[in-house]
Each structure stands twice: as structure tokens, then as C-alpha cells.
Amino acid sequence: MERIAFPLDGAWEMAPVEQAVELRWWGPRIRSGLSEGFPIATRKVRVPSAWNDGRDPELNLFRGSCVYIKDFRLPAAFKGRRTVLRFDAVGQRCTVYLDGEALGSHEGGYTPFSFDLAGKAAPGRSHRLVVVANNQRSEQTFPAISGDFESYGGIYRSVEIIGLPAVHMDKMLAIPSLSADGRGELSISVSVRNDSKRRREIELRAAVTGRGLKYISTRAVTVKAGAVASVTLKMRIPGVSPWSPESPAMYDLAVSAAGDRLRKRVGFRRIEVKGNHLLLNGRPIRLRGANRHDDHPDFGPCLPDAVIRRDLELAKSINCNALRLAHYPHREKTYELADELGILLWTEIPFVGGDVWTGDVRRRNLALQNMLRELIERDCHHPSVILWSVGNEVASDHPACRRFMAPLYKLARRMDKTRLVTFASNRGTNEIVSQPFSDVAGVNQYYGWYSASVNDVSGNMDSIHRALGKPIIVSEFGAECPRGRRGRKDRWTEDYQVALYRHNLRVLGAKRYVVGLFPWALFDFRSHRRMNVLQHGWNRKGIFDDRRRPKLVAKVVREFYGRMARGEG
Ligand code: GCB
């Protein structure tokens, strides 16, 4: 018996509610009539979507809670199955109710989570699902108030109910890498649950196929009635083609247990740091990157697959071999396409700003750990991902911050020994987190834009490198201008952006300890902090504008990265 899915995307009822009222107040009240307790009439929305994606002027600036309501009946095929309600992501935190009863809450707007509906939902009955989503920010939330991007609110990725067979796999982590002798390594850890009334002896089977290869590994597993067995399968596969940006070789992985089957696409590559070098499959590589936000003027955070593909192709058209997915996990399709197109990824959790040593520090650290765990669980099979980042521009010159961040590094390393761990710092030589913890230091610098003169880039980067003693990825530099604004009247012109890029690329590109360049940003993106006369709610530091039209600087990057790719940079 295979697992089945019942999609809950499509038409939902929705209403904004009183900001001051706690998330938990609303859900149980919406058990029957929609009018009950509602101060504002509900409206019809399509899930997935964000209420502040720009399409509804009434809600575009709304930071608060919205209630989402969906009535459904499960099809007969769900009879006798354990059912699980799964959200791909809800911005930014939510509490979920089924028929007036709380299923639980989730914090973090970018990763999947689920609730077990065993005994709570059955075919033949009508059910009411209520989700109260909230997108407010404070100094205690992640992202915090200062985060320079939109906090999208609502059910903006897919929702479904999964019907599981009696014996099924709960969670699967498949981590691929490449051994020094060229074998494909795959570590698969999975929990097998037996919901039946008798003990089951099953065969866990993993098959890697593709490019003329078929490699199968099996393991006998015994699971008592009502129990869960955790199993790890380690595969060492001869004859694989290594994955790289030049040759993104992908394979199909199918893991099955008593009829339940999970599929993923995997690829095999190795990433390491040696001295001042970053090595991909044993060979030095320099990352020709850019920063991308998961954002678009027409779709907010719900970019159609074809638009994501086009974004990645645009990055490749200016000779990028890498992207930093700032500042939170992007839609999973992005990672699938990066695998397929050969783009190396830096991916991070939304630990952006925030007052990390006041309030309930422990609770907030656990919330971040959970966001990191969910990111690694979701994306650890993608060969494109080489860097887990545990944050951006936090107060990493403060001893309390170092203590706060240590568990995040530890968790990333415990879950995945094959990737590098980093974070993006703006604390220059005062940095005390990257030095002890990061494999490669992420450095954000805006010389010539926010601070000092562009001529300071070289000396300052050398000092940072001396202080940290490890290879550096320049994770941000840039200048802002609306596309088409020309001249020398001030810094907000394409001409100034070009001059600043030329200097940064030339100076930083010449430093061998700089193993990656990630200008800020690939595209202009929404940010309601950005309200001056040239911004109107958009951060305009893009190489392309919000509609993906190139600024003059695109050519500068393309030519420079082209030379770098040929080994001339
Ligand atoms: C930064 C931040 C990024 C901002 C960028 C800017 O240092 O990491 O989130 O958007 O600068 O444009 O100011």
C-alpha cells in the first residue's frame, strides 16, 4: 500500500484579526459558524499566497494575525490510515486547529512542519481546519525588526494531508557526498513506524539509479507493533559521476519499506576547506556568487517554478556558479533547480538581527535550532548545498552572542558532517564567532556605500583575514540605484554602482584567501524599511531590477566572472 495525498491548496476563507489578540484566542472560537466572534468579514483567498504580496492593497502593509479557514472531507481511500497534516511553510508563526481543537503551534516562516491527525480526522465526516498565522516582528522574533526584507504572512506554500500505510517511514535524511577515492557516499537515516497490531519484519531498501548505474542496498528491520525503529543505511557506490557546476550529475534515490516509498534526487560531491582554499571534489574552487531573496513584484514569495528557473538562469547568464539564498530557506524548488543547473548554494536560517541576550534566551535559541533542524532535514540531499549558514549580521563581537550561537554550529555539524558551516558577519576585526566556529568566514562589507571609502576595501579585508586566520567569502558588498538613474549627482546611480563593483571585484578577486564573492543583490527586493524617494518600499541594490531587467553592472559582473571562470581573475 503506497502513501496517498489530499491537497488542501486552493480556495480558503481568510480574515485579518485584531493585532493585539493572542494567536491562541481565535482558533477554538471558529468551530462552527464563520460569523462567530469575527470582527471583520472573511474574504476568499487562494492558498498558497501571502496576504502582503502586493496584490491586496488593504493588506499589503498588515503586520498582525490572519485567520485562515478551510472545510474539507477526506476521500474514502483514507479509511484506516494514519493521517498527517503537512504545511510546506506558514509565514511567520502559526497555531493550527482542527474542529476547534488545537493541534499545535509552529514558529519560523520558511520550513515544513506537520501534525499527526491520528484519531482526529476520518473520511465521511466534515472537518474544519483553522490556521491563525502571524507576521509581526519584534526584537525577539526571527527575523527581528531590523531585517531588511518583507516578512510575508500567511499560508504561502502548499498544504496537504498525507495518508500513510500501516508500516511507513516517518522522516528521512539522505546525505550524499563523494569519498576521496571517488565513490558516491550516501547516509540514509529513517524512522520506520509500525501502526499495525503485529510485529513486522521488513526489508528497508534503497536504490540509486541513473546515468547507467543501479546500486541497491538493503537492511532487514524488525519493528514491534505500535513501535518506531530508527535505522541508518550507509552506501558506498562505485562508478558515480561526481556532481559539479560544470557537470551536475544527478541520480534518483528510492527508499522503500513494506510498500511505503520515498523518492529524492541526489548527487555526489565533496566540499572542504584546506588552508586558504575551498576545494570541490578535491580541486580549488572560487565561488562566483550573488545574493538572492525569494521575492518577486508579481508573486511575493510564491514564485512559479518557471520564474525560479529563469532567476537561476539569469544568475548563470552573468557567469555565477553560486548563490547565497538570503536570509532564510527559499522554496524547495530553488534547490532542485540549483541541483539540476549546477549552482552551488549557501543557505541560511532567518537569524537576522535581534536582541539575543535579553528575554527568554533559551526559548529563542531552541526556536532557532528548530529552524536549522528543519532546514537541514528538508535540504540535506541537495548536492548544490555546500554551506549551512547560522545567521546574518548579529552582534558577533559580543561574548554573549558567541555563547548563543555555539549550539547552532554544534547542531549543524552533528546533523551533517559533509557540509561547511558559516555565518555572515559585519563586525570586521572585532569578530569573535567566525574565528572559533566557522569553516570559512562570511564577511559583509559596504565600503563606499554605508561606510568610509571604497579605497578601504583592500586594507580592511587583509586585516580581517589576519584577525580570523581562515579563508573568506565576501558575503555582501554593493551599492543602490534605481535602474536607469544615471550620472554623478550622488551615489544612487548606475554609474556609481558600476564604479563600486569594478573596484570591489578587482581588489577582492585578486586576494587568494577570498574564496567567494556574493554581491548584494541579484535582484531588487521588497523591504518596507526602504522608503526614501528613490526606493518606495524596495531595496534597489540589485544587479537586475525587481522585474529582472539588467542594470549596467550586470555586464561588469558577467565579464569579471567570465575571466574568473577562465582562471584569469
Ligand atoms: C546588509 C544586510 C542585508 C541588507 C543589506 C543592505 O548588510 O545583511 O540584509 O539588505 O545590508 O542593503 O543594506
Side-chain angles (χ1 to χ4, degrees):
M1 192 163 59
E2 295 223 354
R3 54 178 64 200
I4 50 175
F6 179 64
L8 290 173
D9 288 355
W12 286 57
E13 295 283 326
M14 180 268 234
V17 296
E18 169 56 53
Q19 288 206 359
V21 178
E22 245 266 297
L23 288 185
R24 281 180 184 74
W25 197 84
W26 286 100
R29 286 174 171 73
I30 309 160
R31 197 189 290 262
S32 50
L34 289 187
S35 58
E36 235 177 287
F38 256 105
I40 304 174
T42 59
R43 53 186 84 198
K44 289 212 181 321
V45 290
R46 288 203 78 73
V47 163
S49 65
W51 69 68
N52 49 340
D53 64 6
R55 278 185 273 198
D56 182 343
E58 276 193 343
L59 285 174
N60 201 26
L61 293 177
F62 184 67
R63 291 245 171 116
S65 296
C66 284
V67 177
Y68 286 76
I69 303 153
K70 174 93 175 169
D71 292 331
F72 68 91
R73 276 173 182 272
L74 282 175
F78 277 75
K79 195 165 174 359
R81 288 170 179 264
R82 179 189 288 268
T83 51
V84 170
L85 171 64
R86 179 188 150 104
F87 293 86
D88 279 353
V90 176
Q92 295 285 320
R93 59 200 64 81
C94 65
T95 304
V96 180
Y97 302 84
L98 187 72
D99 304 329
E101 187 197 325
L103 297 175
S105 297
H106 184 260
E107 179 163 2
Y110 309 96
T111 39
F113 55 97
S114 49
F115 299 105
D116 191 349
L117 299 185
K120 296 184 175 129
R125 277 164 46 198
S126 170
H127 295 288
R128 171 157 294 177
L129 184 61
V130 173
V131 178
V132 189
N134 174 285
N135 71 337
Q136 276 164 297
R137 281 184 180 179
S138 74
E139 273 313 301
Q140 307 276 309
T141 59
F142 304 112
I145 290 179
S146 56
D148 177 26
F149 54 97
E150 212 40 55
S151 263
Y152 284 111
I155 309 176
Y156 57 63
R157 291 187 194 150
S158 288
V159 193
E160 63 180 3
I161 294 181
I162 302 166
L164 295 160
V167 175
H168 59 263
M169 291 172 282
D170 250 358
K171 226 171 223 179
M172 180 173 90
L173 266 73
I175 304 184
S177 63
L178 188 76
S179 71
D181 64 357
R183 285 178 187 242
E185 295 187 319
L186 194 53
S187 158
I188 302 173
S189 39
V190 68
S191 309
V192 183
R193 182 194 288 268
N194 177 7
D195 277 342
S196 77
K197 295 209 163 48
R198 59 188 178 86
R199 170 191 146 105
R200 296 285 303 266
E201 322 244 315
I202 56 136
E203 182 185 76
L204 184 73
R205 182 176 190 273
V208 173
T209 51
R211 307 177 72 90
L213 181 118
K214 184 167 184 147
Y215 191 88
I216 294 172
S217 199
T218 58
R219 167 82 78 82
V221 184
T222 306
V223 203
K224 291 196 204 120
V228 179
S230 299
V231 194
T232 302
L233 209 61
K234 297 235 187 246
M235 300 168 84
R236 277 176 59 80
I237 310 167
V240 297
S241 304
W243 185 98
S244 69
E246 295 73 35
S247 171
M250 294 295 291
Y251 294 85
D252 288 309
L253 166 68
V255 181
S256 59
D260 189 23
R261 190 188 303 269
L262 293 172
R263 293 175 191 281
K264 300 210 186 270
R265 299 263 295 155
V266 294
F268 304 97
R269 53 99 200 88
R270 191 168 76 257
I271 189 79
E272 317 156 89
V273 164
K274 282 227 169 91
N276 269 336
H277 296 290
L278 186 65
L279 305 182
L280 180 74
N281 302 334
R283 297 234 289 275
I285 184 166
R286 299 182 86 201
L287 306 176
R288 310 185 303 271
N291 282 275
R292 175 184 185 265
H293 265 292
D294 203 5
D295 192 36
H296 190 281
D298 294 333
F299 312 107
C302 302
L303 281 68
D305 294 357
V307 178
I308 301 178
R309 178 184 284 273
R310 174 94 186 107
D311 277 5
L312 268 50
E313 283 169 351
L314 277 176
K316 288 195 72 157
S317 77
I318 55 167
N319 291 318
C320 286
N321 65 359
L323 285 175
R324 173 175 175 220
L325 304 181
H327 287 308
Y328 43 78
H330 291 201
R331 237 193 81 201
E332 194 177 357
K333 192 72 196 172
T334 321
Y335 302 71
E336 288 169 14
L337 287 166
D339 286 346
E340 191 188 305
L341 296 171
I343 296 180
L344 296 156
L345 297 179
W346 158 318
T347 187
E348 70 195 17
I349 52 171
F351 181 20
V352 185
D355 193 352
V356 292
W357 37 84
T358 63
D360 191 344
V361 176
R362 199 181 120 74
R363 189 193 70 76
R364 286 184 305 128
N365 197 279
L366 289 176
L368 280 174
Q369 286 184 45
N370 199 46
M371 292 177 204
L372 183 60
R373 185 176 303 111
E374 288 174 351
L375 167 66
I376 297 177
E377 279 172 5
R378 193 192 70 168
D379 293 323
C380 64
H381 59 286
H382 294 292
S384 53
V385 174
I386 52 168
L387 286 149
W388 301 120
S389 162
V390 297
N392 176 72
E393 297 196 352
V394 293
S396 55
D397 46 359
H398 196 293
C401 186
R402 172 147 79 182
R403 283 196 298 280
F404 188 84
M405 292 184 82
L408 300 174
Y409 281 89
K410 204 166 150 196
L411 176 67
R413 294 192 199 289
R414 184 167 59 70
M415 288 184 73
D416 180 5
K417 298 190 175 24
T418 71
R419 308 282 197 321
L420 307 175
V421 190
T422 188
F423 102 106
S425 162
N426 63 346
R427 301 296 150 124
T429 49
N430 297 329
E431 173 57 50
I432 59 167
V433 170
S434 303
Q435 206 284 323
F437 297 138
S438 288
D439 293 307
V440 47
V443 175
N444 295 354
Q445 58 87 359
Y446 284 89
Y447 302 116
W449 183 253
Y450 293 123
S451 61
S453 143
V454 75
N455 296 324
D456 293 337
V457 171
S458 181
N460 280 316
M461 201 51 72
D462 287 344
S463 312
I464 296 174
H465 179 239
R466 268 196 305 278
L468 303 186
K470 50 183 71 191
I472 286 176
I473 290 177
V474 180
S475 32
E476 292 182 26
F477 69 88
E480 186 151 352
C481 58
R483 180 172 179 271
R485 194 165 186 274
R486 301 292 309 271
R488 305 200 179 277
K489 46 192 166 272
D490 53 42
R491 286 182 170 186
W492 295 73
T493 64
E494 288 204 49
D495 305 77
Y496 186 78
Q497 190 187 35
V498 162
L500 182 137
Y501 267 65
R502 279 197 200 286
H503 185 87
N504 271 281
L505 293 171
R506 182 173 51 76
V507 167
L508 297 172
K511 297 190 186 299
R512 301 325 286 184
Y513 63 77
V514 172
V515 295
L517 293 169
F518 288 79
W520 189 265
L522 188 55
F523 307 116
D524 292 355
F525 58 93
R526 265 197 196 84
S527 172
H528 280 111
R529 254 180 60 187
R530 302 285 173 181
M531 279 301 178
N532 82 22
V533 291
L534 299 175
Q535 295 169 313
H536 300 294
W538 289 82
N539 182 315
R540 300 198 190 274
K541 292 195 189 69
I543 296 170
F544 296 80
D545 74 357
D546 56 338
R547 300 219 159 263
R548 283 49 178 165
R549 292 172 299 200
K551 299 181 190 171
L552 296 179
V553 79
K555 184 164 175 275
V556 175
V557 177
R558 176 165 53 77
E559 288 175 356
F560 185 82
Y561 280 176
R563 288 197 295 278
M564 247 176 118
R566 294 190 298 273
E568 301 159 17

